Amino acid sequence: MNVKNIIDKLFKEHDATDEELLYLLDNITFTEQEYLSEKADIIRRENYDNKVYMRGLIEFTNFCKRDCAYCGIRRSNKNADRYRLTFDQIIECVDLGDKLGYKTYVLQGGEDDYFTDEKMIEIIKEIKRRHPKNAITLSLGERSYESYKKMYEAGADRYLLRHETASKELYESLHPGASFEERRECLKNLKEIGYQAGAGFMVGLPNQTNSDLVKDLRFVKTFKPAMCGIGPFIPQKDTPLGNEKGGTLQKTVIMLALVRLLLPDVLLPATTALGSIDPLGREKGIKAGGNVVMPNLSPTDVRDKYALYDGKICTGDEAAECRMCIEGRMRRFGYEVEVGRGDNINWSKEK
Ligand code: SAM
Ligand code: FES
């Protein structure tokens, strides 16, 4: 086997065997990494040109009933300073986002029972009433089929639910009391209901092996999500994994490029976590096939409270500053920010 041949095969056929993917992850050199990123960039340009889609991220609650071992807003973290945005605050963020040119809003939060289906439907309907052409992405964790369906019928377009890791053993060690199968069932339900569904995983979790990452690639290739969120694991000091080592820029960029080659039309964010471990992390993610950025629209006084991991960027910046900053960053690297809704190109959904 030869890494360059495997990259060429992925470039042409958009698939490789698990053995080839593992060989690539185990053996890839720096020069081959550059080659991989170049190939991934060609594929993203064939599908999305040099456009980078922007999503305005609204982190509207950091209350969470789950206890994921890696996450700073896990319920056992007594040091987390909890907050919830009000209905009016959420709508203000969306209106500001619209003025700044964001045509997609990502409403993300911990799993917070305060936000019942009724409350979510009220929020979704009001956003759609004010901005009928804009898209709403939800990221609220695991809910029932009926709950997902009601929110979809109220007007939500997309849903992000990372599978976190496709290794059952690793998943279960990180999520006490949670079920690997149920999370996958949720993803299946979201797709079936009609959402543009987003899966995704963390890179560099403690005890994660290259074989585990091959499982992530295979899951993504088989499930074919419209979006895929990939970011490095970054330790948060008040969690059980606070003293562990985090994921690297290099490995995360390799995984982004591989996912672009496996799923040419996927919407692939260069995440805030990637920008937090390297000053040019997001730019490097875009150069390796990424085509989405998610600048923060949350009010500045709550930004640092949505502390999933330590060292998160942009916690002090106003939404308008992030908007300008992102545009400049993308331009400098030869990409253009696109202010449309930015649907997956193979999505032909009439609502
Ligand atoms: N509650 C929703 C859910 O479970 O999908 C959305 C919010 S959750 C905090 C969003 C994502 O943050 C998770 O899917 C996870 O991958 C990521 N995340 C949490 N803690 C992290 C950490 N320490 N480092 C990197 N990413 C982290
Ligand atoms: Fe927030 Fe650059 S994206 S300051």
Side-chain angles (χ1 to χ4, degrees), residues 282 294-296 303 313-319 321-327 329:
R282 286 170 296 180
M294 295 165 61
N296 210 313
R303 291 273 184 96
I313 50 170
C314 299
T315 51
D317 300 290
E318 293 291 344
E321 291 173 60
C322 287
R323 166 73 176 84
M324 290 307 139
C325 164
I326 280 285
E327 181 153 12
R329 283 168 175 268

Side-chain angles (χ1 to χ4, degrees), residues 10-30:
L10 281 162
F11 181 68
K12 262 202 233 120
E13 299 173 18
H14 307 303
D15 207 355
T17 63
D18 288 359
E19 293 69 34
E20 287 167 334
L21 291 170
L22 182 60
Y23 183 87
L24 182 148
L25 290 178
D26 283 343
N27 295 290
I28 191 163
T29 62
F30 182 73

Side-chain angles (χ1 to χ4, degrees), residues 43 68 72 75 144 214 253 280 286 332:
I43 297 291
C68 310
R75 74 158 187 265
S144 69
V214 170
V253 167
L280 292 178
I286 295 292
R332 281 194 286 283

Side-chain angles (χ1 to χ4, degrees), residues 48-191:
Y48 291 98
D49 200 0
N50 69 341
K51 303 276 185 292
V52 176
Y53 297 112
M54 278 196 309
R55 321 310 196 182
L57 180 62
I58 304 168
E59 298 160 333
F60 70 99
T61 173
N62 72 351
F63 282 87
C64 193
K65 63 182 180 196
R66 292 175 53 117
D67 223 12
C68 310
Y70 44 80
C71 187
I73 63 169
R74 69 201 299 267
R75 74 158 187 265
S76 311
N77 183 6
K78 300 282 175 285
N79 291 335
D81 185 2
R82 307 282 170 179
Y83 74 93
R84 284 183 185 111
L85 297 188
T86 63
F87 177 89
D88 289 344
Q89 281 178 309
I90 296 172
I91 300 300
E92 272 166 35
C93 289
V94 167
D95 287 350
L96 171 64
D98 184 64
K99 280 208 197 86
L100 292 172
Y102 298 112
K103 303 301 169 196
T104 292
Y105 316 105
V106 182
L107 299 183
Q108 189 180 89
E111 289 194 15
D112 181 358
D113 286 340
Y114 173 85
F115 286 98
T116 57
D117 294 345
E118 290 64 38
K119 286 206 176 70
M120 287 314 303
I121 288 167
E122 211 185 320
I123 295 167
I124 294 164
K125 286 198 165 153
E126 180 59 13
I127 296 174
K128 283 287 177 171
R129 192 184 67 75
R130 299 165 91 93
H131 310 287
K133 294 201 171 125
N134 297 358
I136 299 176
T137 303
L138 301 176
S139 181
L140 322 174
E142 297 179 28
R143 294 171 86 109
S144 69
Y145 185 95
E146 290 67 37
S147 168
Y148 287 153
K149 193 156 176 13
K150 282 192 224 162
M151 294 190 293
Y152 180 77
E153 284 164 357
D157 303 87
R158 311 180 186 135
Y159 203 106
L160 296 175
L161 185 80
R162 290 184 175 184
H163 63 278
E164 310 295 3
T165 167
S167 154
K168 182 171 157 68
E169 204 187 337
L170 187 57
Y171 185 91
E172 286 173 352
S173 73
L174 295 169
H175 303 96
S179 151
F180 177 74
E181 287 77 19
E182 272 169 31
R183 193 150 186 104
R184 292 200 166 195
E185 186 66 20
C186 285
L187 273 168
K188 211 177 92 216
N189 291 344
L190 289 164
K191 209 174 179 184

